[in-house]
Amino acid sequence: MNEHTKPRLEVCLSPALLHLFDVKNSIVVIIDVLRATSTICTALYNGAAKVIPVATVEECVSIGKQLNAITAGERDGKIADGLLHGNSPFEYPREFIGGNVLVLTTTNGTKLLHMAKDAIQIVTGSFPNISSVCEYLISQGQNVILGCAAWKDRVNMEDTLFAGAVVSRIKAHFDVNCDSALAAETLYHSAKEDLFSFMKQASHFQRLAKYGLEEDIKYCLTMDGANVLPILRNGELVVEK
């Protein structure tokens, strides 16, 4: 890229649209605000050695046994059968997760991670680590795709809001010629004064609220509570130093 052209910044609102983007020549940010990417940065912030994202519960159990790791994951918002821990960031305080490996499977986030495997680099983003994500993307000077995990391929509110928050912070450093980025940023600006109240109309809010998880949602919409950058190295998410 010559010094006069800015790198591209684009938003992919659903994994079903990822094939339309130039993944190979971009850094991909995996966004699964409720709750996978919020939990990943929280576990790493609290001292987890690494987080290994896997697609299936079977893989999760098998790798967990091999590595004597903590196995966790959800399907449709509940702890998956066969696993001991779920996808709540509050399950991973320092005294529990510090020094341990976490093997994690989720409904949407881990699937997108595997789909983006050919990217220049993969990092995970959520409101609790938004500043780390934005600083990293500016520092790299590469094309960026903000990839929303969505909900079973349907666009969702929380991942779109996070993508919009990132666009709003870093767009001066990028060429933004992407309607979904503009739409996400517009949505974020209309919600940013009170993300929690804005989210109450969203389907995933209602899904999780049924299980009494409002505190999880509140935490996952709060900026910089676990401000580290999870970066994928050899299939494992570790903290970028």
Side-chain angles (χ1 to χ4, degrees), residues 217-234:
I217 298 168
K218 227 170 241 171
Y219 172 84
C220 293
L221 296 173
T222 302
M223 311 271 185
D224 292 336
N227 200 21
V228 293
L229 186 78
I231 193 157
L232 195 69
R233 302 233 185 268
N234 306 317

Side-chain angles (χ1 to χ4, degrees), residues 2-239:
N2 71 47
E3 57 192 317
H4 301 300
T5 56
K6 291 179 178 178
R8 272 194 321 275
L9 175 62
E10 297 172 300
V11 171
C12 175
L13 291 173
S14 160
L17 299 169
L18 191 66
H19 66 282
L20 302 172
F21 293 81
D22 183 9
V23 170
K24 281 193 172 117
N25 292 303
S26 308
I27 293 170
V28 175
V29 182
I30 305 292
I31 302 163
D32 188 0
V33 169
L34 296 177
R35 295 165 291 164
T37 56
S38 301
T39 296
I40 288 164
C41 68
T42 301
L44 289 168
Y45 179 77
N46 285 333
K50 56 191 172 189
V51 178
I52 302 174
V54 296
T56 67
V57 173
E58 294 70 35
E59 267 180 289
C60 195
V61 171
S62 136
I63 292 171
K65 280 193 182 123
Q66 284 166 35
L67 299 179
N68 194 21
I70 293 164
T71 55
E74 53 77 34
R75 287 295 177 268
D76 300 334
K78 298 190 289 269
I79 296 179
D81 290 342
L83 300 177
L84 294 179
H85 300 281
N87 209 13
S88 168
F90 295 125
E91 286 187 70
Y92 303 101
R94 189 167 291 272
E95 54 276 16
F96 172 61
I97 195 67
N100 286 308
V101 173
L102 176 63
V103 188
L104 183 71
T105 180
T106 68
T107 307
N108 306 292
T110 43
K111 175 185 142 191
L112 178 60
L113 229 150
H114 291 289
M115 286 173 70
K117 65 182 188 310
D118 294 334
I120 292 174
Q121 188 62 66
I122 293 176
V123 299
T124 68
S126 59
F127 288 104
N129 73 328
I130 186 168
S131 293
S132 283
V133 169
C134 291
E135 286 156 19
Y136 174 76
L137 296 177
I138 292 168
S139 74
Q140 296 304 295
Q142 303 271 11
N143 295 331
V144 171
I145 298 166
L146 301 175
C148 299
W151 176 260
K152 299 182 178 178
D153 284 344
R154 294 182 175 210
V155 170
N156 72 13
M157 189 84 86
E158 62 276 10
D159 295 347
T160 306
L161 283 170
F162 176 78
V166 173
V167 171
S168 130
R169 285 197 188 195
I170 70 174
K171 64 181 180 184
H173 302 268
F174 291 85
D175 175 26
V176 186
N177 182 17
C178 167
D179 286 5
S180 47
L182 300 174
E185 188 189 12
T186 303
L187 187 71
Y188 171 69
H189 282 306
S190 60
K192 67 182 179 186
E193 296 313 318
D194 187 349
L195 288 173
F196 185 77
S197 295
F198 190 86
M199 269 297 295
K200 282 183 177 167
Q201 59 197 310
S203 62
H204 210 151
F205 184 103
Q206 288 158 17
R207 207 175 292 118
L208 293 177
K210 270 203 309 240
Y211 305 126
L213 294 169
E214 284 95 337
E215 287 309 306
D216 273 32
I217 298 168
K218 227 170 241 171
Y219 172 84
C220 293
L221 296 173
T222 302
M223 311 271 185
D224 292 336
N227 200 21
V228 293
L229 186 78
I231 193 157
L232 195 69
R233 302 233 185 268
N234 306 317
E236 303 171 342
L237 289 157
V238 293
V239 174

